[in-house]
Amino acid sequence: MTAHVSAELLARYAAGELRVDDASTWPVEAHLEACAGCRDRLGRLTPAPVLAMLDDTRAGILAIAANGPLPVRRRRLRRLVHRWATWSMLSWAVMTATAIAAAFLMDRAFPARPSLVLLLAPVAPLAGLTIAWSRHGDPAWETIAGTARAGVDLLLRRTVVVLAVVFVPLTAAGGLLGTDPALWLLPCLAFTAATLLLGGLIGVGRSAAVLGGAWVLVVVAPALVTVRLPVLVQTGSLPGWIAAAVILTGLALVRAGDHQRLSSWN
């Protein structure tokens, strides 16, 4: 945008009528960064409560800066954490590891019953995805959602962290039980991709609840009642899981732009 922002567009921007994913938002903000005149015009259009909030924010930032910068190592650690995860994921990681450990102990105690580790593996990452990609689980979601790289880049980073956290206890439990790693790995990847694909349309949290609930009702509950290992977690199902994981991952990447919308954070 080389010309000045029009009065109508600037008024809509000041009133908050332009959404984060609106095509007009980025050119306006890029122009405002370099044009003092348009910033002055925006200041005259901004409501008084907003200006007061900005003044308070500026005063708080200056007060923090007056205490001196953080040590280099702490700054690097914070930057790394914010780029890849959120501290709210820590409680989920502990809960997930505990659940997998409990499932492992149950499998050891009752080897004749269907493996709870295999039944739990497909839905193990879903709660982590909900927390990592939720306005309720991330106190900085408003700031993140307003950045140009809030979509696929952040989505992939946090998904990698969630999968890495889940894979460690699953690998340990599966190895000790002597199960084929593909029996828990492929369903886990397929459900993760399906959650992200559907989450771009209805929100990641809702998507995780729908898919996780369906798996529990259709597969887990009948397996526990009939005391039979479902066909979906037996060796014969691996070709289907491979196809599902590949197709769903491809579709999730193709539709990654859906996560630019704020509804994806629901």
Side-chain angles (χ1 to χ4, degrees):
M1 180 179 289
T2 55
H4 292 294
V5 182
S6 67
E8 179 184 359
L9 188 58
L10 196 64
R12 292 180 58 200
Y13 181 81
E17 297 178 3
L18 298 182
R19 299 178 301 173
V20 173
D21 57 345
D22 195 302
S24 303
T25 303
W26 175 246
V28 170
E29 293 181 343
H31 179 80
L32 289 172
E33 290 179 358
C35 182
C38 286
R39 289 198 300 271
D40 291 339
R41 293 167 54 206
L42 177 64
R44 291 193 293 271
L45 293 172
T46 304
V50 176
L51 289 177
M53 181 186 67
L54 293 175
D55 289 339
D56 292 341
T57 302
R58 180 176 181 274
I61 293 174
L62 292 177
I64 295 174
N67 295 326
L70 291 172
V72 175
R73 290 184 179 179
R74 289 182 61 187
R75 291 204 304 269
R76 289 177 179 174
L77 178 60
R78 285 193 175 188
R79 189 181 302 116
L80 181 64
V81 170
H82 293 161
R83 289 182 64 188
W84 287 88
T86 172
W87 289 112
S88 58
M89 295 173 64
L90 183 60
S91 59
W92 159 79
V94 174
M95 178 192 69
T96 299
T98 303
I100 295 174
F104 167 76
L105 293 176
M106 291 292 291
D107 286 355
R108 275 291 183 85
F110 305 98
R113 300 184 66 86
S115 173
L116 289 179
V117 171
L118 292 181
L119 293 175
L120 175 64
V123 296
L126 302 192
L129 292 175
T130 300
I131 295 174
W133 196 253
S134 169
R135 65 181 66 190
H136 306 293
D138 190 347
W141 80 269
E142 292 167 315
T143 302
I144 294 173
T147 63
R149 300 182 68 185
V152 63
D153 182 75
L154 184 63
L155 170 70
L156 294 179
R157 288 177 185 273
R158 292 192 172 180
T159 300
V160 167
V161 172
V162 169
L163 290 177
V165 171
V166 170
F167 284 176
V168 172
L170 281 178
T171 301
L176 292 173
L177 293 172
T179 59
D180 185 350
L183 288 177
W184 59 261
L185 175 62
L186 292 173
C188 188
L189 293 175
F191 264 78
T192 299
T195 300
L196 297 179
L197 177 61
L198 183 60
L201 301 176
I202 66 173
V204 174
R206 295 191 184 103
S207 174
V210 169
L211 295 177
W215 176 261
V216 171
L217 291 176
V218 176
V219 178
V220 178
L224 297 178
V225 172
T226 61
V227 197
R228 294 181 180 178
L229 189 65
V231 176
L232 288 176
V233 289
Q234 295 183 23
T235 306
S237 66
L238 290 182
W241 283 116
I242 293 174
V246 172
I247 293 173
L248 290 171
T249 300
L251 291 175
L253 291 175
V254 170
R255 300 295 303 178
D258 293 341
H259 292 277
Q260 293 283 62
R261 298 196 297 265
L262 294 183
S263 59
S264 173
W265 290 78
N266 291 330

